[in-house]
Amino acid sequence: EAQVTQNPRYLITVTGKKLTVTCSQNMNHEYMSWYRQDPGLGLRQIYYSMNVEVTDKGDVPEGYKVSRKEKRNFPLILESPSPNQTSLYFCASSSSGGHYGYTFGSGTRLTVV
Amino acid sequence: AQRVTQPEKLLSVFKGAPVELKCNYSYSGSPELFWYVQYSRQRLQLLLRHISRESIKGFTADLNKGETSFHLKKPFAQEEDSAMYYCALSEVGNQAGTALIFGKGTTLSVSS
């Protein structure tokens, strides 16, 4: 089944403790992206990647890092999480830069206390 | 700057009533427009692309370049349509991996 898999689904952590949210897709998509979803703000892009070793900042990249060492994986790294990064995070992938729509993961609900 | 505006945070209708979820965009080029749906506690799913001109689950959306709008419509709402709906814009032909720009979403609530 074609899908985008995120782990974990739920995570509670403390301020300053480094964490990684994994994202993997099995569709051989070139384009992958991370979004955060917050009430009243909709979806905002954090980082995106056009292909292996090619990443760029989205609208709200501060406090996040990403890497794209393999085509299928696009982990989101929070080096020193803060409470304002408490949010629902979605990974998405697409071929051709999104022209045919994105496939989204199930989301990761992160709480930073 | 690219922008997608969904003016309504919440739209409440009765079952069987017509539905129109508004979406306006601001973009100087030639965009592609999408509607995504998010049912409670589920992932976002692609509902419609303007380029395909199809009807999914009874929903349709027409791109009006003159009014820069891409409103989502359904003639008779069903309770299972209750969800969050996002309008999104992508730049046509951009190989730089531009973002899919989302509006802030409209919650549709259909009651009996």
Side-chain angles (χ1 to χ4, degrees):
Chain A
E1 179 189 353
Q3 59 186 357
V4 176
T5 303
Q6 288 179 235
N7 281 296
R9 290 292 306 276
Y10 302 92
L11 179 60
I12 300 174
T13 190
V14 296
T15 300
K17 186 176 181 181
K18 181 180 177 180
L19 66 91
T20 299
V21 184
T22 63
C23 174
S24 180
Q25 51 94 5
N26 62 0
M27 296 164 283
N28 201 37
H29 284 166
E30 297 82 14
Y31 189 86
M32 297 185 75
S33 183
W34 277 102
Y35 289 86
R36 61 178 287 174
Q37 184 182 33
D38 301 289
L41 297 177
L43 285 136
R44 294 178 292 168
Q45 191 183 48
I46 304 170
Y47 268 94
Y48 65 90
S49 170
M50 285 181 59
N51 215 321
V52 176
E53 303 291 2
V54 181
T55 63
D56 208 348
K57 296 177 180 178
D59 296 321
V60 288
E62 295 77 19
Y64 305 95
K65 286 174 59 176
V66 293
S67 69
R68 189 88 182 273
K69 295 190 172 74
E70 305 166 281
K71 198 171 188 180
R72 64 184 290 123
N73 295 323
F74 191 45
L76 179 69
I77 303 157
L78 285 73
E79 294 271 2
S80 183
S82 62
N84 65 12
Q85 292 178 297
T86 292
S87 187
L88 179 58
Y89 292 86
F90 286 100
C91 181
S93 73
S94 175
S95 58
S96 305
H99 302 307
Y100 300 99
Y102 287 17
T103 300
F104 281 83
S106 298
T108 295
R109 186 167 291 282
L110 172 66
T111 301
V112 184
V113 298
Chain B
Q2 300 175 35
R3 181 177 295 176
V4 177
T5 303
Q6 294 180 250
E8 302 141 329
K9 282 188 178 180
L10 173 65
L11 182 63
S12 296
V13 302
F14 287 108
K15 178 181 173 182
V19 170
E20 183 178 51
L21 299 168
K22 291 184 167 51
C23 173
N24 290 90
Y25 67 91
S26 172
Y27 185 64
S28 58
S30 183
E32 285 191 16
L33 276 297
F34 303 83
W35 276 100
Y36 281 81
V37 60
Q38 186 180 28
Y39 299 103
S40 179
R41 300 182 181 276
Q42 295 187 24
R43 71 184 72 197
L44 278 84
Q45 303 171 40
L46 178 65
L47 182 63
L48 286 177
R49 294 189 301 140
H50 92 265
I51 198 167
S52 57
R53 302 182 67 81
E54 57 198 341
S55 173
I56 304 292
K57 298 184 180 181
F59 285 98
T60 59
D62 291 317
L63 179 61
N64 185 322
K65 291 185 178 180
E67 295 182 358
T68 60
S69 69
F70 188 55
H71 302 328
L72 184 68
K73 299 177 183 178
K74 184 169 183 176
F76 307 103
Q78 303 297 316
E79 289 183 75
E80 55 265 30
D81 295 328
S82 296
M84 175 77 89
Y85 291 82
Y86 287 97
C87 183
L89 173 155
S90 176
E91 181 182 5
V92 174
N94 183 340
Q95 297 304 305
T98 189
L100 197 61
I101 308 296
F102 285 90
K104 292 186 178 180
T106 299
T107 299
L108 174 64
S109 175
V110 182
S111 54
S112 56

